[in-house]
Amino acid sequence: MTEAEIRTAFAREGVACRQFGAEFSARLRGGLANLLDRSSRVGARVLDWPGDPYADALPVRLAAGLNALVQAGQLPELAAHFPPHAPGDDASFDAALSAALHDDRIDAWLDGAPQTNEVARSGVLMPGLLAIAAATGLPLALFELGASAGLNLRLDSYAYDLGGLVLAPPAAPIRLAPAWDGPPPPAADLRIVARRGVDLNPLDVTDAAHRERLLAYVWPEQVERVARLQAALEAAALDPPTLDRGDAAAWVEERVAPVEGRCTVVLHSIAFQYFPATTQARIAAHLEAQGARATATAPLAWLRYEFDSPEAAALPTLRLRLWPGEDRLLAHAHPHGATVQWL
Ligand SMILES: C[S@@+](CC[C@H](N)C(=O)[O-])C[C@H]1O[C@@H](n2cnc3c(N)ncnc32)[C@H](O)[C@@H]1O
């Protein structure tokens, strides 16, 4: 890629941020597109990036590094321009940003692929689990693929308003109330008797560095989202989810089979698209084979909250395959769980 193409990648990412209403993040990326130069190690490394800046999410890596250092109090000049402060005039913002690029602690942030765990997706997965509980009348055992830090495995500890269906467990660390369209989900008795997740790179909620890493990728002007993630991480650190490291296919093949007296639920959110095609095919084949063995008293469910349309503007869907049973489209939902259109 040429230097001009690298700058374009930053500018385009800024446009995407603006489309999502993230004005500060748009300005930061626009500033980086113009200000990057070879006077700093970080600037030179970015402009000479050997790979594809889009596929590598290079602007996200650099923005997260800056955000992490700001949040840790290590870039006070730039911090004065970061939310919750107003960014100020362009000249002083650009000067602070240019100076910050000389901080070599950012360099490490360019190494790793971004990783998130969006806890508001529980507001989409939860009604899916209620639908499973209503259909089967059984307790559920959860197997989450691409679980990241496992925050969505703890979804029954969160409070909800799901189209008027209110769930309020004691001491809930967060409350999720997605903008709802359609009837509420079934008010089923949800009992989760087992839960476990897998990720190629599971993040440890008890590790402060892992928590900081997750928080750094959230656009800093999205203060509610940052606060929600912080609260969910703090609660999870007191009761960490069980996660295994590895590829999802081998894990599913090893662990997922129908069990008498419970519904075995495989679930995932905005993860399947990142799995290699062979992993996707092996998971589907294993679930078909196990589904053929499932019965009404030992059912198997596959709950997917994923982008499944090639149309760029299409929302992710929530789909449920139940064995014995059929494949149902349950909802369309915003990728971060902000809206749910329940069908
Ligand atoms: C976009 S994140 C979504 C995380 C989480 N499901 C959520 O909704 O917040 C995708 C996750 O899939 C994981 N992943 C990618 N390929 C994988 C694979 N082959 N097997 C297991 N996990 C994988 C990544 O490490 C990452 O944590």
Side-chain angles (χ1 to χ4, degrees), residues 126-141 156 165 167 185-193 261 263:
M126 185 62 168
L129 294 189
L130 290 169
I132 297 170
T136 64
L138 291 170
L140 312 184
D156 52 336
L165 177 70
L167 306 173
D189 175 23
L190 184 75
R191 285 163 293 149
I192 299 177
V193 290
C263 182

Side-chain angles (χ1 to χ4, degrees), residues 115-118 121 146 148 199-200 246-248 269-270 274-276:
Q115 194 170 0
T116 56
N117 196 185
E118 179 50 68
R121 292 186 185 136
S148 191
D199 200 285
L200 271 188
D247 179 72
S269 57
I270 320 296
Y274 299 102
F275 300 172

Side-chain angles (χ1 to χ4, degrees), residues 12-160:
R12 281 202 187 154
E13 163 99 2
V15 171
C17 292
R18 186 159 288 125
Q19 281 167 351
F20 280 101
E23 191 52 41
F24 173 80
S25 293
R27 188 169 178 196
L28 184 75
R29 283 149 179 80
L32 290 168
N34 294 327
L35 294 170
L36 281 164
D37 63 26
R38 290 190 172 71
S39 68
S40 65
R41 194 166 96 185
V42 167
R45 187 171 169 202
V46 169
L47 291 175
D48 294 331
W49 194 254
D52 177 344
Y54 298 98
D56 296 341
L58 183 59
V60 179
R61 295 184 192 203
L62 179 52
L66 289 163
N67 190 23
L69 295 186
V70 163
Q71 303 309 330
Q74 291 166 340
L75 291 174
E77 267 188 42
L78 185 60
H81 300 271
F82 258 62
H85 312 293
D89 65 274
D90 284 345
S92 52
F93 180 73
D94 287 356
L97 189 52
S98 289
L101 290 171
H102 287 265
D103 191 319
D104 287 345
R105 287 173 292 193
I106 298 168
D107 205 38
W109 286 85
L110 300 179
D111 293 337
Q115 194 170 0
T116 56
N117 196 185
E118 179 50 68
V119 70
R121 292 186 185 136
S122 282
V124 181
L125 293 168
M126 185 62 168
L129 294 189
L130 290 169
I132 297 170
T136 64
L138 291 170
L140 312 184
L142 305 186
F143 295 84
E144 189 187 3
L145 315 184
S148 191
L151 296 179
N152 292 323
L153 269 176
R154 306 185 72 253
L155 78 183
D156 52 336
S157 68
Y158 308 147
Y160 298 89

